[in-house]
Amino acid sequence: MASRSRKDQDPDYDGGRRKRGKGGKDPNAPKRPLSAFFCFSGEERAKVKAKFPDYTVGQIAKELGERWKTCSNRAKYEALAAKEKQRYDEEMAEYKQNGAKKVPPKEPAAAKGKPAPKGSKPQAKKAKVDDDDEGDEDVDDEDEDDEGESD
């Protein structure tokens, strides 16, 4: 019995080719609003670090999550989040009104100095052209001396 290829078995198989990513994010676009939990975390993180200085980032996040579950003052942080959302909506409306510019997609991996994906064609390197005459003068002078001398 002949073995079946991967493309026959997997309908999502794309032939080993990489999919193109989305276009780049516009750096001029407004920042997204913070959620109520992130507003809470911004204030509470310093307290957790002071109480548990040897905690890792993951342990701090876990402690913040536990504190958020038992937080009795959620309304304060939800109000801050609503204010953030309003700010974002206003900035986004202004951004869209003034014409959001699309950013071209990121450069391929090979252009960033990373090795090209397997199976891609290598690009030819350009020869370095020596435009300055500083190093060439010495060589030319020796040739002129030989021409002027006759044996």
Side-chain angles (χ1 to χ4, degrees), residues 63-135:
E63 179 68 24
L64 287 170
E66 292 298 320
R67 289 184 183 203
W68 177 247
K69 284 181 187 176
T70 61
C71 181
S72 60
N73 199 7
R74 279 191 179 206
K76 171 186 171 184
Y77 299 107
E78 288 170 355
L80 286 172
K83 193 174 180 181
E84 273 286 306
K85 174 111 173 75
Q86 184 179 1
R87 174 208 52 89
Y88 173 76
D89 290 340
E90 290 170 2
E91 288 181 9
M92 186 55 94
E94 181 181 334
Y95 172 74
K96 286 182 178 180
Q97 184 181 12
N98 292 338
K101 297 180 182 177
K102 291 197 173 195
V103 175
K106 294 182 179 180
E107 296 178 21
K112 291 184 179 179
K114 296 179 182 176
K118 197 172 189 180
S120 66
K121 295 180 181 178
Q123 295 179 353
K125 293 183 180 179
K126 294 181 180 179
K128 186 177 179 182
V129 178
D130 186 21
D131 290 335
D132 65 310
D133 294 332
E134 292 176 12

Side-chain angles (χ1 to χ4, degrees), residues 2-104:
S3 80
R4 299 172 76 185
S5 68
R6 183 169 173 198
K7 72 177 182 180
D8 293 335
Q9 295 173 356
D10 187 1
D12 295 330
Y13 181 66
D14 62 355
R17 297 182 185 167
R18 292 182 180 206
K19 294 181 181 179
R20 291 186 182 177
K22 295 185 212 174
K25 183 179 177 184
D26 187 354
N28 299 324
K31 303 293 182 209
R32 295 197 48 139
L34 295 176
S35 67
F37 174 72
F38 276 94
C39 292
F40 168 79
S41 296
E43 289 182 12
E44 201 70 18
R45 184 177 311 274
K47 296 174 188 173
V48 172
K49 280 187 171 183
K51 189 172 182 182
F52 305 104
D54 58 333
Y55 267 20
T56 63
V57 175
Q59 290 171 323
I60 291 173
K62 189 179 264 189
E63 179 68 24
L64 287 170
E66 292 298 320
R67 289 184 183 203
W68 177 247
K69 284 181 187 176
T70 61
C71 181
S72 60
N73 199 7
R74 279 191 179 206
K76 171 186 171 184
Y77 299 107
E78 288 170 355
L80 286 172
K83 193 174 180 181
E84 273 286 306
K85 174 111 173 75
Q86 184 179 1
R87 174 208 52 89
Y88 173 76
D89 290 340
E90 290 170 2
E91 288 181 9
M92 186 55 94
E94 181 181 334
Y95 172 74
K96 286 182 178 180
Q97 184 181 12
N98 292 338
K101 297 180 182 177
K102 291 197 173 195
V103 175

